[in-house]
């Protein structure tokens, strides 16, 4: 059955029935094979009620480009590559144009433009982008190496932006390194991490998003809500959202490195008195958090988890989780494979 969601209705000229009338703009989840991989993505299109059943859908050129970009980004996410949105965010972070970033990395001037719109980067190019994404010192090193590609004025502007970024880099870099270090054994996509590379930016955005929607978000409840979010994502797309690995503990599924996770610099966490179970770490939304790393489908998943567990206390969600098949089929201390999340209660 072809399921869809109605975005809006608009009056426009319809190329199918060649009349101007009200047309539905819809979106749906579609599947495509890209580079030998099956990927699921969001597709937007128009529907004409006047046309024949088999010929009642059409797209504009802009829609087709957007749909193809969504499909490529779904492939990137599945293969652990930066999405086009994340590449744009790197540029914005350093105040660079597409040409500037390409020059900084020593690439052809059109390379970044292609990666943000059409082409999918290979592993080597992705690794270079990640180097400067996570480390402004590396960006400064690239700038020195490729300084001849810039005018003196442009060189000064870019250097000033990198130095500014370095000021806030120290503590955040160290906390990220500690957390990433705990995931060193899980770098390759596998059943343990939901076939997703660890994505700290997305983890921070998810936690802040949950805190925006729930003002009683404490550490223990958060950990279980993260597992449910990743598990639902895996059920729907074959990939988790965050790349975190979860272990069977007496109080439910807990991500590896959860202590380091709570020390991430971008999270807004306060130590407060709490009457709910055993934790005092209260999570609040982070000001100016970048939610562009979350697509609409991921936000929908988070909204489902928040609606289900937002009003629960920690004990209730722990008791609920203990009855999940994935929890029952693993032993204490074992990693919970995502393949065991073949069914989830009430989802």
């Amino acid at each position: 059955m072809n399921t869809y969601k109605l975005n809006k209705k608009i009056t426009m000229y319809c190329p199918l029935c060649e009349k101007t009338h009200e047309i539905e703009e819809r979106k749906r989840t579609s599947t495509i094979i890209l580079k030998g991989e099956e990927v699921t993505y969001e597709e937007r299109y128009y529907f004409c009620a006047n046309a024949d059943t088999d010929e009642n859908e059409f797209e504009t050129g802009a829609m087709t480009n957007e749909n193809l970009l969504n499909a490529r980004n779904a492939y990137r996410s599945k293969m652990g590559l930066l999405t086009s949105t994340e590449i744009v965010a790197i540029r914005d972070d350093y105040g660079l144009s597409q040409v500037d970033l390409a020059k900084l990395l020593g690439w052809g001037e059109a390379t970044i433009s292609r990666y943000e719109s059409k082409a999918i980067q290979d592993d080597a190019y992705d690794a270079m982008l990640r180097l400067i994404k996570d480390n402004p010192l590396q960006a400064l090193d690239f700038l020195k190496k490729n300084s001849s590609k810039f005018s003196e004025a442009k060189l000064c502007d870019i250097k000033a932006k990198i130095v500014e970024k370095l000021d806030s880099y120290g503590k955040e870099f160290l906390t990220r390194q500690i957390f990433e270090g705990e995931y060193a054994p899980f770098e390759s996509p596998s059943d343990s991490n939901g076939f997703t590379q660890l994505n700290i930016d997305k983890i921070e955005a998810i936690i802040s998003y949950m805190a925006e929607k729930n003002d009683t978000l404490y550490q223990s409840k958060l950990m279980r809500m993260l597992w449910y979010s990743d598990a639902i994502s895996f059920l729907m797309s074959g990939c988790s959202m965050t790349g975190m690995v979860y272990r069977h503990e007496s109080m439910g599924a807990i991500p590896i490195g959860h202590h380091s996770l709570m020390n991430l610099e971008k999270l807004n966490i306060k130590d407060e008195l709490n009457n709910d179970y055993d934790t005092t770490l209260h999570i609040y939304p982070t000001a100016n958090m970048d939610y562009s790393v979350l697509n609409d489908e991921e936000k929908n998943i988070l909204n489902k988890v928040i609606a289900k567990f937002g009003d629960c206390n920690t004990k209730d969600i722990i008791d609920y989780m203990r009855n999940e098949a994935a929890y029952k089929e693993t032993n204490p201390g074992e990693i919970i494979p995502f393949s065991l999340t073949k069914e989830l209660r009430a989802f």
Side-chain angles (χ1 to χ4, degrees):
M1 183 179 179
N2 184 15
T3 59
Y4 67 90
K5 180 178 179 181
L6 178 65
N7 274 356
K8 59 184 177 182
K9 294 182 179 181
I10 58 174
T11 299
M12 62 181 288
Y13 173 76
C14 173
L16 300 182
C17 66
E18 299 183 334
K19 296 178 181 178
T20 298
H21 65 99
E22 189 175 71
I23 291 174
E24 293 183 355
E25 180 186 307
R26 298 176 171 182
K27 64 180 178 181
R28 64 188 167 202
T29 299
S30 297
T31 301
I32 193 174
I33 302 296
L34 269 182
K35 296 190 173 186
E37 293 287 335
E38 182 177 277
V39 294
T40 301
Y41 67 101
E42 184 177 272
E43 180 182 37
R44 193 164 61 93
Y45 63 98
Y46 288 124
F47 172 80
C48 170
N50 298 335
D52 294 338
T53 302
D54 295 334
E55 298 179 350
N56 55 13
E57 299 175 7
F58 68 96
E59 299 175 354
T60 63
M63 275 181 169
T64 299
N65 290 335
E66 177 188 318
N67 292 336
L68 287 172
L69 185 60
N70 287 345
R72 294 187 189 105
N73 281 336
Y75 173 86
R76 287 175 164 123
S77 295
K78 185 171 184 177
M79 304 308 293
L81 300 172
L82 292 168
T83 66
S84 60
T85 303
E86 290 172 320
I87 295 173
V88 171
I90 293 172
R91 283 201 301 104
D92 290 345
D93 214 20
Y94 287 104
L96 300 172
S97 68
Q98 292 175 331
V99 172
D100 288 341
L101 179 54
K103 287 180 177 180
L104 177 72
L105 295 170
W107 299 345
E109 292 188 5
T111 305
I112 296 299
S113 175
R114 288 190 291 109
Y115 288 164
E116 290 183 10
S117 59
K118 296 178 181 179
I120 297 174
Q121 71 275 19
D122 61 24
D123 289 343
Y125 277 66
D126 193 76
M128 290 182 71
L129 286 164
R130 286 183 184 278
L131 283 176
I132 67 166
K133 171 181 176 291
D134 298 327
N135 187 347
L137 286 172
Q138 185 65 66
L140 193 59
D141 186 53
F142 277 126
L143 185 64
K144 292 175 182 176
K145 202 172 293 183
N146 297 300
S147 60
S148 61
K149 298 179 182 292
F150 299 98
S151 67
E152 194 63 38
K154 175 64 75 171
L155 191 66
C156 289
D157 287 345
I158 296 174
K159 185 175 181 180
K161 188 68 177 179
I162 294 175
V163 169
E164 177 186 325
K165 189 170 170 60
L166 278 168
D167 289 341
S168 60
Y169 169 68
K171 187 176 180 182
E172 181 178 346
F173 176 74
L174 288 175
T175 55
R176 279 178 170 244
Q177 287 292 95
I178 293 170
F179 186 48
E180 288 176 344
E182 300 198 56
Y183 278 82
F186 306 101
E187 288 183 349
S188 300
S190 68
D191 196 7
S192 296
N193 57 23
F195 299 98
T196 301
Q197 190 173 34
L198 185 71
N199 190 329
I200 295 179
D201 290 336
K202 186 167 285 188
I203 293 170
E204 291 171 333
I206 287 171
I207 292 174
S208 180
Y209 185 88
M210 286 181 170
E212 276 195 359
K213 308 282 185 177
N214 184 260
D215 57 7
T216 60
L217 188 63
Y218 289 88
Q219 180 182 8
S220 291
K221 184 161 76 171
L222 168 67
M223 297 303 156
R224 283 80 190 172
M225 291 173 70
L226 287 171
W227 181 80
Y228 273 108
S229 300
D230 274 331
I232 296 171
S233 176
F234 185 83
L235 274 177
M236 294 179 64
S237 67
C239 297
S240 69
M241 281 195 223
T242 70
M244 286 195 290
V245 177
Y246 296 84
R247 186 172 276 134
H248 177 126
E249 301 290 355
S250 61
M251 294 173 65
I254 305 293
I256 286 176
H258 59 280
H259 292 303
S260 302
L261 167 62
M262 299 307 287
N263 288 324
L264 290 176
E265 187 67 12
K266 285 186 180 178
L267 298 185
N268 183 9
I269 301 175
K270 297 179 181 178
D271 194 350
E272 296 177 356
L273 182 63
N274 170 33
N275 295 322
D276 176 23
Y277 223 57
D278 65 350
T279 182
T280 59
L281 294 182
H282 191 169
I283 298 94
Y284 291 91
T286 301
N288 302 315
M289 175 59 74
D290 178 15
Y291 293 119
S292 66
V293 296
L294 301 174
N295 60 39
D296 288 343
E297 193 56 51
E298 288 169 334
K299 288 178 181 177
N300 287 337
I301 291 171
L302 296 178
N303 289 338
K304 286 181 181 179
V305 173
I306 293 164
K308 178 67 180 177
F309 298 112
D311 293 331
C312 293
N313 61 38
T314 303
K315 185 178 184 306
D316 287 342
I317 191 173
I318 289 173
D319 290 342
Y320 196 91
M321 178 176 282
R322 284 171 174 161
N323 287 307
E324 295 290 358
Y327 188 80
K328 288 181 174 181
E329 292 177 29
T330 51
N331 297 315
E334 288 182 346
I335 289 170
I336 302 176
F338 277 91
S339 57
L340 292 182
T341 60
K342 43 190 174 288
E343 60 180 46
L344 292 172
R345 301 169 65 211
F347 287 105

